[in-house]
Amino acid sequence: MKCTLKALLAIAAMLAGCGATACKPIVVTRLTFPEGTADLEPAQIAKLAEFIDRANSALPRYLEVSIDGGATVKTPGRTPAQASELARQRAENVTRAYRQLQPAKLRLETTSNIYEDNKMSREASNDFVVVQFHPDYEASKLPDCNPVPTPGFKR
């Protein structure tokens, strides 16, 4: 089983190195924040700038960008209203930085959420902002990865 998995990973790495194109790539990054802060640090701004440059060079066109801020509710002394405000401030700060860094004018959606759990996923905390570019798949002319029609699904 381990050998099969290693072989599959090696093939995938080889294909990625040969310029294989994903069918519907996910263009997303996550900026994590120190506990209780909403200010962007220089390293976060650099990461956002690099992400925007990579996204702009990866695909020719995007339909929109979504920016979602998050904050953990279960922090000693933090009320849900305070967590909600912190998440909103994070999203707004990243949105301001994004607007200064992104040359293309794209539709932009900014949201914020609070999380009861201390960990949304494998990440260390829920103190983050996620920035996602939504590609225009039709204009990008990506390969059809599902050439067999799915019953009940209209293209």
Side-chain angles (χ1 to χ4, degrees), residues 96-150:
R96 267 194 296 283
Y98 164 82
R99 285 188 172 134
Q100 291 176 358
L101 296 167
Q102 172 62 296
K105 299 292 181 208
L106 299 172
R107 190 171 91 96
L108 179 64
E109 179 183 348
T110 302
T111 59
S112 58
N113 293 287
I114 59 174
Y115 299 94
E116 292 286 329
D117 196 349
N118 202 20
K119 293 183 182 177
M120 186 176 95
S121 65
R122 297 181 307 244
E123 299 294 328
S125 84
N126 282 325
D127 294 308
F128 66 89
V129 171
V130 171
V131 180
Q132 182 171 358
F133 279 65
H134 300 273
D136 183 345
Y137 294 118
E138 288 183 25
S140 299
K141 305 219 183 300
L142 295 171
D144 185 2
C145 295
N146 189 16
V148 179
T150 304

Side-chain angles (χ1 to χ4, degrees), residues 35-105:
E35 177 64 38
T37 65
D39 296 330
L40 283 165
E41 296 175 350
Q44 292 169 306
I45 295 169
K47 181 178 179 180
L48 181 62
E50 290 171 17
F51 169 72
I52 290 169
D53 288 344
R54 277 194 325 271
N56 287 332
S57 64
L59 291 171
R61 185 162 175 226
Y62 294 94
L63 298 174
E64 70 175 335
V65 174
S66 59
I67 297 176
D68 180 43
T72 302
V73 177
K74 289 188 177 178
T75 298
R78 184 183 292 169
T79 66
Q82 290 169 326
S84 182
E85 177 62 17
L86 183 58
R88 185 191 63 75
Q89 288 174 353
R90 288 173 175 159
E92 285 182 0
N93 289 345
V94 172
T95 298
R96 267 194 296 283
Y98 164 82
R99 285 188 172 134
Q100 291 176 358
L101 296 167
Q102 172 62 296
K105 299 292 181 208

